[in-house]
Amino acid sequence: MVEVLRAGGARLVAAPVASANPARCLALNVSLREWTARYGPAPSAPRCDALDGDAVVLLRARDLFNLSAPLARPVGTGLFLQTALRGWAVRLLDLPFGAARLPPLATAHARWKAEREGRARRAALLRALGIRLVSGEGGRLEWFGCSKETPRCFGTVVGDTPAYLYEQRWTPPCCLRALRETARYVVGVLEAAGVRYWLEGGSLLGAARHGDIIPWDYDVDLGIYLEDVGNCEQLRGAEAGSVVDERGFVWEKAVEGDFFRVQYSESNHLHVDLWPFYPRNGVMTKDTWLDHRQDVEFPEHFLQPLVPLPFAGFVAQAPNNYRRFLELKFGPGVIENPEYPNPSLLSLAGSG
C-alpha cells in the first residue's frame, strides 16, 4: 500500500478487510452549493471516490490534516465526503486484510444501542459538513435538514438575499421540498374553492426556465383575483387572524401588507405568498406594492385565458404568453439570463 501511494495516481490507497462486509468502490459527488451528496456505482474500479464496507485506508498525514474535520466520526463517511469534494481518488487494492477479532456485542439491546449511536453520529457529521440530502446507490433519499416540526434552515432574508447565497450556496433541498409541498397544497385548495390564481414573479420565472422553483429562491408567489377570496374558507379565516388547517399549514394575512401568506407549519416559516389583484380599466392592480422591480401592474388580457404550466412537480395555472408577461415585469431576455434577486447586493456572476 505504501509503494502504491508513493507511486502516485491516487491520494488514498485502500485494501478490503476479509469480513462479512468487505469494501467495494463507489462513485461520490458532493455538491456544497446544493447541500447534497450522491452515491452510485463506481465507473472505473479500482479507482473510487468512496468505499462501502470494511477497509484499511492509507493516506499521507499532511493530506489527512489538511481536511477541515480530519478525525470526524464515523471516520469513513467523514473522510470520503471531504476527499471526494477535493477530487481525491481512492485506489482499492485486491489485497485483503484478515478480519479483525472484535469482541461481539453481547445482547440485542447493546447492538441496537450501538446502531442508534452510529446513526446519530452520522447525522450530526452530515449536518456539520453542510449536507442536507444524501442520495444512495439505489436512489434512496436521506434527509438531514428542516422538516414540518423544525424551523427552516435559514434566518430572516435581508434585501431579498438569503444568507446562504453569500456562502455560495443555493436553497437547501429540504427547504425546496417544503416549498414544493406547500405550493402543491395551496394550489389544490384554491382550485377546489374556485379561486382563480396564477404563478407570479420569480415562481413564474422558475416555471418558464426550470419547470420548478428557481434553485436559489426562498418562497413561492401566486397572484389571485381579489373578488374570489370569499370563495375560500381558509382565506376568509385568515382575514380575521392566523388559521392552522387540518394539515398543519398556517394561513394568515402578511404583516408586510395587504396580501396572504401560507406557511409550511407553525415551526417552519417557508411559505407561499398570495397577492390579491383586481381589474381596473383592463389593467390588473393591487393595494400593496413592495420595492421589487417585477411588482408592476399589467393588462388583464394575460389572464384571459390562463394556461397550464409544469411547476414544482405539478401543473399550475400561468398567464398566457408568459414570456411577454415576464419581460414586462423583469425586462428582455430574463428567461435566458438568470440573476440573483438583488444583484446590487450580490450577483450570480460575481458569486463564484
Side-chain angles (χ1 to χ4, degrees), residues 22-321:
R24 61 190 182 88
C25 269
L26 292 176
L28 172 58
N29 177 267
V30 181
S31 173
L32 291 184
R33 186 177 69 178
E34 298 176 0
W35 310 72
T36 300
R38 296 181 177 88
Y39 292 88
S44 57
R47 289 177 60 84
C48 330
D49 300 317
L51 300 176
D52 178 43
D54 300 325
V56 175
V57 181
L58 184 69
L59 72 162
R60 291 178 173 83
R62 65 172 180 268
D63 286 341
L64 176 64
F65 289 103
N66 273 333
L67 302 177
S68 57
L71 302 177
R73 298 174 67 191
V75 174
T77 301
L79 177 66
F80 296 128
L81 283 169
Q82 294 176 85
T83 56
L85 184 61
R86 289 160 175 78
W88 296 359
V90 186
R91 183 169 177 188
L92 181 62
L93 304 181
D94 188 17
L95 297 171
F97 278 76
R101 296 183 178 180
L102 299 175
L105 295 170
T107 65
H109 178 74
R111 290 192 293 274
W112 170 82
K113 186 176 179 181
E115 290 171 1
R116 185 187 63 176
E117 290 175 353
R119 287 193 298 269
R121 280 197 299 267
R122 179 170 174 265
L125 170 66
L126 290 165
R127 293 189 182 102
L129 294 177
I131 302 298
R132 297 291 180 266
L133 174 60
V134 173
S135 175
E137 256 190 297
R140 177 171 171 264
L141 301 181
E142 297 178 273
W143 298 89
F144 299 93
C146 65
S147 69
K148 217 168 175 70
E149 291 73 38
T150 66
R152 67 187 186 184
C153 296
F154 56 95
T156 302
V157 176
V158 178
D160 298 325
T161 305
Y164 52 78
L165 290 183
Y166 292 106
E167 300 168 2
Q168 298 183 25
R169 292 187 158 200
W170 289 352
T171 311
C174 46
C175 297
L176 288 173
R177 179 177 65 162
L179 286 173
R180 293 183 186 109
E181 183 181 338
T182 307
R184 179 193 288 269
Y185 178 71
V186 170
V187 161
V189 170
L190 296 179
E191 290 180 344
V195 175
R196 290 166 291 175
Y197 75 91
W198 60 94
L199 294 169
E200 260 291 345
S203 298
L204 178 61
L205 184 55
R209 188 186 292 149
H210 308 283
D212 201 352
I213 298 166
I214 293 174
W216 51 82
D217 210 350
Y218 52 87
D219 65 4
V220 171
D221 291 307
L222 301 177
I224 59 174
Y225 269 87
L226 177 61
E227 64 188 88
D228 293 347
V229 166
N231 297 344
C232 179
E233 177 185 352
Q234 290 88 337
L235 293 178
R236 291 197 307 270
E239 294 271 20
S242 181
V243 175
V244 182
D245 69 18
E246 68 279 1
R247 292 275 301 276
F249 294 92
V250 182
W251 299 70
E252 60 188 11
K253 288 294 286 290
V255 298
E256 298 94 329
D258 192 19
F259 62 98
F260 297 93
R261 177 163 289 162
V262 185
Q263 296 182 160
Y264 188 42
S265 71
E266 291 182 277
S267 300
N268 191 321
H269 295 172
L270 290 160
H271 58 266
V272 173
D273 285 336
L274 304 173
W275 301 91
F277 285 82
Y278 56 90
R280 185 172 59 195
N281 300 322
V283 173
M284 297 301 291
T285 190
K286 57 189 174 76
D287 293 331
T288 292
W289 300 96
L290 302 181
D291 188 21
H292 298 156
R293 58 177 175 164
Q294 71 270 23
D295 203 14
V296 297
E297 297 177 331
F298 59 90
E300 189 179 13
H301 67 70
F302 282 110
L303 307 180
Q304 298 173 337
L306 294 166
V307 299
L309 192 63
F311 176 70
F314 63 99
V315 177
Q317 296 296 305
N320 63 74
N321 203 347

